[in-house]
Amino acid sequence: MVNDAGQLYTMEGVAAGVIMLLTAYIVISTTSVYTPGDTHIPDMQLEQLGSDVLAMMDTPDNREEEESRLVVLVKGGVPGGDTLRTEFLNNCKMRAGGDDDDLRAQVYLTYRKMNGDVSTIQLSSSDPGFTGRENTVRVTRWVHLPRGSTYGLDNLDSSRPHAVLVEVLLWRA
Amino acid sequence: MACMNEDGQWIVLMGLLTALALFFLALIINQSALVGQTTAEGVLEFPKNDIRDLRLAIFDYYDDYGELTLLQQQHYVDDIVRISLERKNAVVYFWDGPQQDVSGRMLRPVTIHYYNGVTKYDETVYY
Amino acid sequence: MSLDFLAGFTIFMLALIMVVSMVPGLLAGLESSGIDYDAVAYRTGVILVEDPGWPVYPPWEMNDEAHKDEIERMGLAVSKETPNILLSTKVDAFFNDSFFTPDDYRSKAIFGDIPYSYNFSLNISQPDGSYELKQTGDPLPLGGYGYIRRVVKIKEPGAADIGYDSSFNETTLDPSKPRIFTVQLDFSQLLDPDVGPAYRIDPRTEPVNITITDFGAYLNRTDPSVDNATLKSVTFWKMDPTRPMPRFTKIPFSYSTADSSLYTLTIGGNPYNLTPDTKVFDNDNISFVLKPAATSLFTLDQNSILDIRFTFDDGNPQSTFMNGTFRYDYANVTIPALSTGVLEVAVW
């Protein structure tokens, strides 16, 4: 006699298997959603690298040197900005065995104008590959701009020293 | 048609138990991923480089302090305070006291306050 | 046991086995994500780049094999106030992997309970555009390691190059008296707090380099046949001006034992101890390096004055006129410019 009760065991086996496999699939897919939390680590590495480079560019190589390389380049204003970016990136790319070539940067400068307003200008020319959606980090450095003439910094009172903020957006292309 | 034989239900129960165990495992794994995340976030969030840089900027100001007029001093302090607020979203103020003799050198106590909404930093340093 | 039950149970077991075999993959993914490694690499990078290490005075890098246990932490920074500026003597000591074992690196730089594998490298840019690479540790795996890169500057010790200077050519002295040429290190001047630690001459942490070139110009040419003078000895004297009635006293030191960990003295390229009693010919250079390990034996403080006295004696008449005091200070010593470098730490 054909007893269809036998079907039940097979059906339940299939049901249990489907439940377990589905769970495993869901679990694996959810944990992989959480891993982008790791992107904070590359950010942290990039930020550390950027602030190291700015700090080192702001350190004179000799005691006799009055102005650090960073101050010289900031005084050069907008034309100096591209040189600043190139030198900044050269320092960032340096590593043992082959340069780390896919780094990009954009340099901004914030200073106070003669009338006291805070003004931010772009020092380096725009990067054609920059869309604004990149995962960028921002590193900054206070620069002590001594008295005297600067180039291309609009409305800056050159009769007094300034504290200006160099900001660099750094990202991986 | 099918008679209601429920002897096989325990297989489904086993399946459910395994599924539950897997969920707990996933929960633990997610927690540990969070640990790594917070380590990196902690480093990113604690503005060590910012504070260090701010101190240097303030020391640069006191290097020039003597040769600035009162108005220029005020301007320089405003540079730091206003740009900090606008670009770094940080409340910064600092002031100095009268010069004192600290083991043979004339130094002034400089008090620095920094607060960016997350991290607060106060220091009095002789410079 | 019916066939149906077997079929159902087999399907269940197969699914269970599949799921169980997936679990270790889930865990392995967690382990290789390098979350922990990155944090360890970051920490190690901070220790190396922003800290001078412990002990500070005498600095850890001077400890020899017998005192290696006293090193608590290996940091490369010049001082706590100057992060990212590394001292070349510390760098050289750190990358000396015949002195430090992998366990030393783990317990004094990486810190951690797990025996991590590591790779440290420092790429120093040279003035001519080339790079000098220092490296220690295991070769890098293809991936899955924690990593940090720090841009640094490296401070090299200063060097005094003493050429011909008429003020040291004292031709009017008593011809029978030995000539004493002194190199004087005034610590209160050298350690002046107004000079930043990044540009300081600190004989307690860096070697003192003295090279006397153009020795021939100081020779006593009244007798044209004279082409050499005898360097009798090099001695160390110290004075503490804060004491009552300060005067120079000779520092007890094993002058007649050559020890390259304390000093090196070469005349015309050949090594000697500090009582060479040998002829220096007119085109020979005298070069003397006083290592910080020796300076630490002299028990000097920040007010002391240290004299390094070169005594030339050939009897009457003396063969050289070299006499006087050369000040080893910021005006006379060339300090090389800081060079840029990249320190990379990989941990796995």
Side-chain angles (χ1 to χ4, degrees), chain C residues 9-30:
Chain C
F9 195 69
T10 310
I11 291 169
F12 167 76
M13 283 313 282
L14 275 176
L16 188 71
I17 288 163
M18 274 170 79
V19 168
V20 165
S21 64
M22 276 163 132
V23 168
L26 215 68
L27 291 173
L30 171 71

Side-chain angles (χ1 to χ4, degrees), chain A residues 8 12 138 140 142 144, chain B residues 5 8 53 76 82 87-88:
Chain A
L8 208 63
E12 277 157 345
R138 195 169 72 114
T140 60
W142 284 102
H144 174 79
Chain B
N5 180 352
D53 190 22
Y76 202 101
R82 292 209 37 207
R87 303 299 305 176
K88 310 274 320 168

Side-chain angles (χ1 to χ4, degrees), chain C residues 170-299:
Chain C
E170 298 186 34
T171 50
T172 52
L173 288 177
D174 180 346
S176 66
K177 282 178 94 176
R179 308 300 191 213
I180 297 173
F181 179 70
T182 305
V183 176
Q184 191 168 74
L185 291 86
D186 184 342
F187 278 52
S188 65
Q189 226 172 58
L190 294 177
L191 305 178
D192 178 359
D194 285 339
V195 181
Y199 312 106
R200 194 174 286 167
I201 299 173
D202 189 346
R204 298 174 302 174
T205 57
E206 284 183 305
V208 174
N209 296 296
I210 303 159
T211 309
I212 302 173
T213 55
D214 211 3
F215 185 72
Y218 294 103
L219 287 175
N220 183 355
R221 297 292 186 183
T222 42
D223 176 0
S225 68
V226 169
D227 65 348
N228 69 72
T230 307
L231 177 62
K232 271 271 183 240
S233 66
V234 180
T235 48
F236 306 121
W237 298 67
K238 72 169 168 181
M239 177 165 82
D240 190 354
T242 56
R243 292 253 176 85
M245 294 213 295
R247 62 191 182 88
F248 277 104
T249 50
K250 189 174 172 182
I251 299 172
F253 186 75
S254 45
Y255 289 103
S256 48
T257 324
D259 183 347
S260 64
S261 68
L262 298 176
Y263 66 86
T264 56
L265 173 68
T266 57
I267 300 166
N270 302 313
Y272 288 94
N273 63 28
L274 294 181
T275 51
D277 202 5
T278 189
K279 288 180 171 31
V280 185
F281 288 90
D282 56 0
N283 50 5
D284 283 350
N285 285 347
I286 302 172
S287 110
F288 178 69
V289 181
L290 181 65
K291 304 268 171 81
T295 318
S296 72
L297 298 175
F298 298 165
T299 57

Side-chain angles (χ1 to χ4, degrees), chain C residues 27-50:
Chain C
L27 291 173
L30 171 71
E31 238 170 71
S32 65
S33 60
I35 291 167
D36 177 44
Y37 296 145
D38 275 312
V40 173
Y42 173 78
R43 183 181 65 203
T44 309
V46 170
I47 289 172
L48 290 181
V49 166
E50 299 177 17

